[in-house]
Amino acid sequence: MADWLASFPLTQHLLELGKSQICKSLRTGPIPQHIGFIMDGNRTYARIKHIELKEGHSAGFESMAKILEVCYDCGVKCATVFAFSIENYKRSSYEIQWLMELAKTKFKQVVGNGEMCEQFGVQIRILGDLELLPDDVRDVLLEAQRITQHNTRAILNVCWSYASRDDMTHSVREIVGKTAKNRLPVKDIDEDCISKHLYTGSSPPLDLLIRTSGVYRLSDFMLWECSKEGCDIEILDVLWPQFNALNMVWILIKWSFNKTYNNR
C-alpha cells in the first residue's frame, strides 16, 4: 500500500516538500559535520528480490545518491562511503568486474557533466590504495576527483581499495618518511599527527558512523576515526538499498537531539 501511494506524483511532491522543511530545521541546530557509511546489504537485497547481483549493487548506488543529497541538504560537510574494500578482491571475478564497470559508468557521468558538479558543489576525493585498481578504473576515478577539486560546498570521500589497517600503515609510512628526511621531529609524533596522515586527514573529525544490514562489526572501516570520543555508531537492521531519506532524516534528528540535551 505504501509503495502504491508513493508512486503518485503528488505524494512525491509532498514528501520532497516535507523533507526540505525538515532539512531547513535541522540546519538551525547541531548537525554531524562528518558521517561515514558502511553500505552493507546489496547482495542480500538482490537475493531476496530475486534479481541479478549487479542489479543489487546498482540499487545500492541509487540509494547512496539519495542519502548523500539529504545529508548535504541538512548541512553535513563531509560524507565518507565504503565503496570497495581490499577484502572485496576475494569475491568472484564476475562481481568484481561488475563493480568496476559500475564505478566507471557512474563516475564518467560526473566527469562528463560539469554542470552537475557545479550545481551540487561537492568535491570528490578518492581514498585508498589506488595502485590495486585497474588502470582504466583508476583514471576515471581520479578524473572525477580532478574535475571537482575546486568545489567547496561539501566533500564526498569515496573509499576504494580501502582497509583501515592499510590506512594506518600508510599513515605510519608517511610519518617515518618525513622523520627520515628531517621534515618531522620525532617529538611531534602523537595521535593528532597520525590522524592528519590518514587518508581522511584533511576531512573534519568523524561524528557519526552508520552501518546497514544489522551486522555488528566495523569491517575494517575508519577504525581510528570512529574510536575517538564523541563519535556515535548507528547500526540499522535494514539493507542498504532499502535505506531511504526518511531513515536518514530520523537519524539526524536523534543525533541533533542527543547533542543538544546531553551536552547541557
Side-chain angles (χ1 to χ4, degrees):
M1 182 67 174
D3 291 339
W4 178 73
L5 285 173
S7 66
F8 281 89
L10 178 59
T11 304
Q12 290 295 323
H13 175 72
L14 291 174
L15 287 173
E16 285 298 320
L17 182 61
K19 184 184 72 174
S20 176
Q21 293 302 316
I22 292 173
C23 286
K24 286 181 180 179
S25 299
L26 281 168
R27 285 200 297 268
T28 64
I31 202 77
Q33 293 301 287
H34 187 177
I35 302 179
F37 292 95
I38 302 177
M39 307 178 293
D40 193 23
N42 293 342
R43 295 196 291 175
T44 303
Y45 177 81
R47 186 174 67 251
I48 291 174
K49 294 293 184 179
H50 304 290
I51 59 178
E52 288 192 46
L53 185 57
K54 63 182 183 180
E55 294 179 68
H57 286 303
S58 293
F61 189 93
E62 296 303 322
S63 180
M64 182 188 76
K66 294 174 183 177
I67 296 304
L68 290 175
E69 182 181 348
V70 172
C71 289
Y72 296 140
D73 282 346
C74 289
V76 175
K77 296 299 182 185
C78 180
T80 301
V81 297
F82 201 4
F84 194 88
S85 166
I86 290 177
E87 288 294 311
N88 288 156
Y89 285 107
K90 296 178 181 178
R91 294 183 178 181
S92 70
S93 58
Y94 167 80
E95 185 177 359
I96 293 172
Q97 182 179 0
W98 169 250
L99 285 168
M100 296 296 177
E101 289 300 321
L102 180 64
K104 284 199 300 181
T105 299
K106 297 301 182 181
F107 282 93
K108 278 181 179 178
Q109 292 175 4
V110 174
V111 172
N113 191 345
E115 293 181 1
M116 183 182 70
C117 297
E118 293 300 324
Q119 176 186 353
F120 291 101
V122 176
Q123 180 186 130
I124 295 174
R125 298 175 182 171
I126 310 299
L127 311 182
D129 187 354
L130 303 187
E131 293 301 317
L132 298 176
L133 283 166
D135 292 344
D136 56 339
V137 179
R138 181 171 59 250
D139 290 345
V140 171
L141 296 181
L142 291 180
E143 180 62 8
Q145 177 174 276
R146 185 196 65 77
I147 204 171
T148 62
Q149 63 182 324
H150 299 300
N151 292 345
T152 58
R153 177 187 171 194
I155 296 167
L156 172 59
N157 293 323
V158 181
C159 293
W160 203 277
S161 295
Y162 173 92
S164 188
R165 289 171 296 178
D166 176 74
D167 190 6
M168 287 184 272
T169 302
H170 162 265
S171 174
V172 171
R173 284 174 178 162
E174 283 209 339
I175 293 170
V176 170
K178 288 183 178 181
T179 56
K181 296 177 181 178
N182 296 319
R183 291 166 52 195
L184 179 67
V186 174
K187 64 180 180 63
D188 290 343
I189 301 175
D190 54 16
E191 288 186 15
D192 287 340
C193 179
I194 294 174
S195 296
K196 290 176 182 176
H197 286 83
L198 294 173
Y199 290 127
T200 57
S202 59
S203 299
L206 186 67
D207 293 314
L208 176 62
L209 180 67
I210 297 173
R211 182 185 182 125
T212 54
S213 81
V215 176
Y216 284 80
R217 64 173 182 266
L218 298 179
S219 297
D220 204 7
F221 181 64
M222 300 189 80
L223 301 181
W224 181 275
E225 294 92 333
C226 74
S227 65
K228 78 174 185 67
E229 184 179 0
C231 178
D232 295 329
I233 299 176
E234 186 92 20
I235 308 293
L236 302 173
D237 192 17
V238 60
L239 302 176
W240 177 254
Q242 298 170 323
F243 184 52
N244 57 38
L246 291 178
N247 297 139
M248 189 67 238
V249 166
W250 176 240
I251 290 173
L252 292 176
I253 290 173
K254 287 194 301 178
W255 191 93
S256 181
F257 180 87
N258 290 335
K259 293 301 177 182
T260 299
Y261 292 98
N262 291 342
N263 291 337
R264 287 185 172 184

